[in-house]
Amino acid sequence: MMEILEGSHAVAEAVKRCRPQVIAAYPITPQTHIVEALASMVADCDLDADYICVESEFSALSACLGASAAGSRVYSATTSQGLALMFEVCFNVAGMRQPIVMTIANRAMGAPLNIWNDQQDSISLRDAGWMQFYAEDNQEANDLHYIAYKVAENHDVLLPAMVCFDGFILTHTYEPVDIPTQEEVDAFLPAYQPVNILDAKNPMSLGMYATPEYYTEFRYEIEEAMKRARKVFAEVGAEFGETFGRDYSGLIEGYRLEDADVALVAMGSICGTVKDAVDEMREDGKKVGLLKIRSFRPFPSEEVKAALAGVSTVAVLDKNISIGQKGAVALEVRDALYGSSGAEVLDYIIALGGRDVRKRDIRAVVDLAEKGIGDQFYGLRTEVL
Amino acid sequence: MDQESELFQCGHRACGGCGPALAAKLILKGTGPNTIVVASTGCMEVFSTPYPETAWGVPWIHSLFENAAAVASGIESSLKKQGRDENVVCICGDGATFDIGMLCISGAFERGHDITYICYDNEAYMNTGIQRSGATPYDANTTTTPVGKCSTGNPRPKKDLPAILNSHGASYVATASMAYPNDLIRKVKRAMEIHGPNYIQVHTPCCTGWGFDGSQTMNIGRLAVETGLWVNYEMVNGELEHVRKVGSRKSVDEYLQVQKRFRHLFRPKKNEEEIAKIQAIADHNAEVFGVDRK
Ligand SMILES: Cc1ncc(C[n+]2csc(CCOP(=O)(O)OP(=O)(O)O)c2C)c(N)n1
Ligand code: SF4
């Protein structure tokens, strides 16, 4: 049913329909409205979950780990400093192969303290073994939750997933969102079928320590599972498309890329602005397109390579920076194209800490890229430096 | 019980005469098989679960050094949601409990989860090579409170964790010693019966960290009680209910001089002043808990 909802509430409605049995979360802007909405649903018995009011994000994810290991479907949400506080547990959850789904309302990392959007928080956890899916709008944020659970819980995957959507820009924006019915979601996402759980009738040890003789093989298994997740995501996304009419079979999405000379690459809500700018530039006769990355982990290298095959200039918009190197998305794209493409890949660090991006900024990036000027912070206010 | 049916099985990698290993065996006799154990990083985790082996005959999970109480909260919540009824028991070292895990323990107790948290108190971080913890006794020589020209070892007395958890409204808080096995088992059984968060702190001498021969573990454990440096008591709903009395308390010398961690108090010459401070701690314990059998 189509409803006009705040992004956070659209996500909360999606989570409710995924029927988590245990929720543990700690409030932090701009994630707060999600967990408040879920708490209300539990208080009204609209959602049959145990809501654990933990004392920190560190405990939130730890409690989720325990609940998942004991056989329940679980949920959490956080952002920025909260995600950073979970760092240690994030690796643990992945290492123990618990298919937890967590929403990240993307926000900049302090210092300086900044509550607005960029994607530094989740990007900084890219190596933890979690899948990371980025939503362009609130419809996608909603839909990715059903898909994330289904992919995470697939027995060929069994990895946790972050559904990332931009703080404020999406969390606090009202948009029409088509929310499926509970029956529809139940049919798409059946009850959780855990493997290897804590059960007194069948004792086993979880999270033991492993010597150099075994540790590498555990890491290898996670990596292989992450690779399998590409195919599983595509299948689940296609199935979602057949059921709900919105196709997510692609880990990437191309927009007017077919004959493009210049391709912009981006993740998250900025893609909406880029699409509009691309339309305008196309009217001006510029052959520009967008490659939207939907899944950052697993990273769809093959798909990126294929999509950018005919492009001569690639301009990556990075809402993060790996300090001392470049933006993380640009590094991935360069790696994907390495050895197969003559395209120039230029990186633009943009929209950090919530700075606004308009269509004219996208056009300016394309102008720079066409001149071969890149690998820089875009729109630096040199007068305040 | 024959070896086959032990829930904590032999063959683990603990030092011969390890107090915590014996405590684990006794604790599981108290919990019975319908139990999920949550561990923290530390000696016991390492000696009992080198992959692909495990000494645990009950479901067991370890996540991190500091989050056992939070993981247990999630497990308890998950079981409740599934309509399952297993005991959830944390078995964690003193470092995990007194220091780095306090945040999670405080949260779990305040929320009132139905879990029993058992700290095996070997009075230091043993797994990482004998560094002090908040449970290390006054004047103990550890690698981070070394004895030196200006130091007589650990400068602070033990943190009173039972009191802290009592003030969280825990319905049952007890101390025990692995040197009194039946008492320990009884207390664990009692905790299993009581709803809500419970805490048991078990004194578990560590031959390697404290510096004594592995054949002496029981004797050292008993000496701690007989001197009053360790008190075995039970608190129910914040009220002291039962204390193990001691007929004629031994002087602390007897306990201190058989452990290398206190050797500096006796060699090259006896440090009467410092030993008197430790005697005062024992006397204070005796008075507060009414240890002396009149
Ligand atoms: C966050 C973190 N900091 C430090 C460590 C290193 N570390 C592992 S076990 C341990 C000490 C454990 O002490 P305790 O809980 O008393 O158990 P014991 O080893 O004495 O049995 C330390 C410091 C760690 N694993 N994690
Ligand atoms: S170092 Fe101490 S606690 Fe660790 S196994 Fe040896 S005796 Fe036990």
Side-chain angles (χ1 to χ4, degrees), chain A residues 117-120 166 169 269-270 317-320 350-352:
Chain A
N117 167 252
D118 64 33
Q119 295 165 347
Q120 189 68 58
D166 288 324
I169 301 171
S269 63
I270 198 173
L317 305 174
D318 260 305
K319 279 189 168 191
N320 72 86
I350 193 165
L352 300 189

Side-chain angles (χ1 to χ4, degrees), chain B residues 13-21 42-44 47 120 122 126-127 130 204-210 212:
Chain B
R13 313 289 177 81
C15 310
C18 169
C43 242
M44 188 181 286
F47 73 62
Y120 66 94
N122 57 16
M126 296 313 176
N127 180 50
I130 324 171
T204 52
C206 160
C207 39
T208 306
W210 298 8
F212 61 81

Side-chain angles (χ1 to χ4, degrees), chain A residues 88, chain B residues 41-44 65-66 93-96 100 120 122 124-128:
Chain A
E88 211 191 351
Chain B
T41 314
C43 242
M44 188 181 286
F65 184 22
E66 61 275 31
D94 51 288
I100 202 165
Y120 66 94
N122 57 16
Y125 303 163
M126 296 313 176
N127 180 50
T128 36

Side-chain angles (χ1 to χ4, degrees), chain A residues 50 72 88 92 198 205-207, chain B residues 54 60 63 66 77-78 84:
Chain A
D50 203 37
S72 292
E88 211 191 351
N92 237 245
L198 297 166
S205 295
L206 293 181
Chain B
T54 181
W60 177 97
S63 167
E66 61 275 31
S77 174
S78 182
R84 287 164 57 188

